[in-house]
Amino acid sequence: MRAVDVIARKRDGHALTRDEIVWFIDAYTRGDLPDYQASALLMAIFLRGMSREETVNLTVAMAQSGDVLDLSAEIGYSVDKHSSGGVGDKTSLVVLPLVAACGVPVAKMSGRGLGFSGGTLDKLEAIAGYNVHLTDSEFRRLARENGLVLSGQSGELAPADGKLYALRDVTATVPCMPLIASSIMSKKIAAGANGIVLDVKLGRGAFMTTLEDARTLAQIMVDIGVDAGRDMIAVLSDMNQPLGEAVGNALEMAEALACMNGGGPADFREHCLQVSAYMLQLAGRGEKWVDMEDARRELTEKLDSGAALAKFRQLVAAQGGDVRMVDDPSLLPQARLVETYTAAQSGYVAQVAAEEIGIASSELGAGREKKSDSVDLAVGLNVPVKVGDRVEAGAVLATIYANDEAKLAACRARLGRAFTFSDQPVPRLPLFYDTLYGKR
Ligand code: URA
């Protein structure tokens, strides 16, 4: 086969065969094809699109370009969740121990934050000593013994995606539905879960800004999962404003701990319960938790009784973290400078722009511009207001946690763009817009 022929066929609008896709991905991953030919194919896909069959074949080829985890010997049926990324989205920190506390094993590999979107690994590292670098055998042992393990990637999952994503970044081919869907799903499929809940965010602080685009992406990913033999549910959730109140690594860990102590912001708690309920539904496989109400009843009990927190504490201990920080969140990294940002006027909150809040937190040092940047675990924001709230002049809109005076001043300026107000009542934003179920 010749790369130029595969590129030409896609350029001319033909559907690529499975053999062509597998050959191209394998050759590129091995280093046998140059970046310029892979770039040309990416652009042809960007312009011509891909059918469902091609997208599935591309996803499976990328998933099989490296290690494909099979955890069936350790935990039987395994369930995973994936969030398309957002501001204040610390859901995994609560959902995974909560689901595991219901007896459903979770062995998850998470990632780091990039841009204004946070990452679970950075949040976990707010707990001193927590080890995100497990070997394959440690990962398997903890999955088997504790039914809960949460680390970075062990082994090499979907290396083709790593190479192609770097090319997409510099060839203007990132915003392309089949490429986004295959990129995300290749990593999920390689990570070995039988059931996957996708939390596809939409709005100002998300990759997809409209409901229509988010629905299209979610449907493609559900279809890929189903065709690859996975049980799938996708939820479409709001990311116009931050989820919960805390944005920044240690602050988000503290908020997750508050939630596991039965408290925390109402929207965050509700989001965790709903995503967890979908995970239980998948794991129940038609026998248990078929009814959402049953699932939610059990999850609420596990959250409020401290069972989820106990599971989280076990996770931290097993991965070398300092459990005193779980018991006493005031021991988490603390910022030196803490100041409030208040409302200059009274009114109804019309906008709490998620992307501005995310950028503000990232500029304080909580996020990274490039993969090699380090993060300041202590800094970030607490934003206690939601769209639709009535606030009076002088009310606290945000608390800023900083370690640098100049960054604190820049954060104040950025926050000036994040909030808008209306004299008239403003409807609240929904937490969820829709749910898509994959049928096998
Ligand atoms: N996240 C991914 O992993 N891949 C994409 O293409 C976009 C978002």
Side-chain angles (χ1 to χ4, degrees), residues 7-182:
I7 297 166
R9 275 175 41 72
K10 185 52 27 194
R11 180 201 63 197
D12 296 341
H14 300 293
L16 299 180
T17 64
R18 186 180 166 282
D19 285 351
E20 285 170 327
I21 291 172
V22 169
W23 177 85
F24 199 102
I25 294 297
D26 283 355
Y28 181 59
T29 310
R30 276 197 312 272
D32 291 350
L33 294 182
D35 283 350
Y36 52 77
Q37 286 191 306
S39 301
L41 183 64
L42 289 171
M43 187 56 82
I45 293 171
F46 182 94
L47 295 171
R48 290 294 193 172
M50 276 189 143
S51 68
R52 173 172 175 165
E53 193 181 342
E54 286 177 286
T55 310
V56 172
N57 287 334
L58 176 62
T59 308
V60 173
M62 292 205 295
Q64 292 179 343
S65 66
D67 301 327
V68 179
L69 218 58
D70 178 1
L71 294 167
S72 54
E74 280 80 17
I75 54 178
Y77 189 92
S78 68
V79 61
D80 196 357
K81 75 167 273 280
H82 173 82
S83 158
S84 60
V87 178
D89 183 6
K90 71 287 291 178
T91 312
S92 287
L93 299 177
V94 173
V95 161
L96 308 186
L98 179 53
V99 166
C102 295
V104 173
V106 187
K108 182 168 170 61
M109 294 184 183
S110 283
R112 298 198 178 275
L114 193 59
F116 63 71
S117 220
T120 302
L121 296 187
D122 298 321
K123 294 168 202 184
L124 283 167
E125 284 180 344
I127 296 183
Y130 189 98
N131 179 15
V132 301
H133 306 288
L134 300 180
T135 62
D136 181 63
S137 66
E138 284 169 335
F139 188 84
R140 287 176 186 278
R141 181 179 62 76
L142 292 177
R144 189 174 60 245
E145 289 178 0
N146 295 347
L148 180 60
V149 56
L150 180 48
S151 74
Q153 285 189 11
S154 72
E156 214 187 0
L157 295 192
D161 176 62
K163 287 187 79 175
L164 288 172
Y165 196 85
L167 272 193
R168 286 168 59 206
D169 231 4
V170 293
T171 56
T173 50
V174 170
C176 167
M177 292 287 180
L179 294 179
I180 297 171
S182 56

Side-chain angles (χ1 to χ4, degrees), residues 267-315:
D267 65 328
F268 176 54
R269 177 183 160 95
E270 174 56 25
H271 196 95
C272 290
L273 285 170
Q274 194 69 8
V275 169
S276 303
Y278 288 128
M279 290 174 78
L280 292 195
Q281 275 201 319
L282 289 184
R285 278 164 291 155
E287 290 163 27
K288 215 177 159 195
W289 303 304
V290 177
D291 178 11
M292 270 308 256
E293 287 315 307
D294 281 352
R296 288 188 54 114
R297 206 172 305 113
E298 183 158 351
L299 290 161
T300 304
E301 191 275 317
K302 294 287 190 276
L303 202 51
D304 293 340
S305 68
L309 182 65
K311 201 72 201 166
F312 185 74
R313 199 176 187 283
Q314 181 191 44
L315 169 78

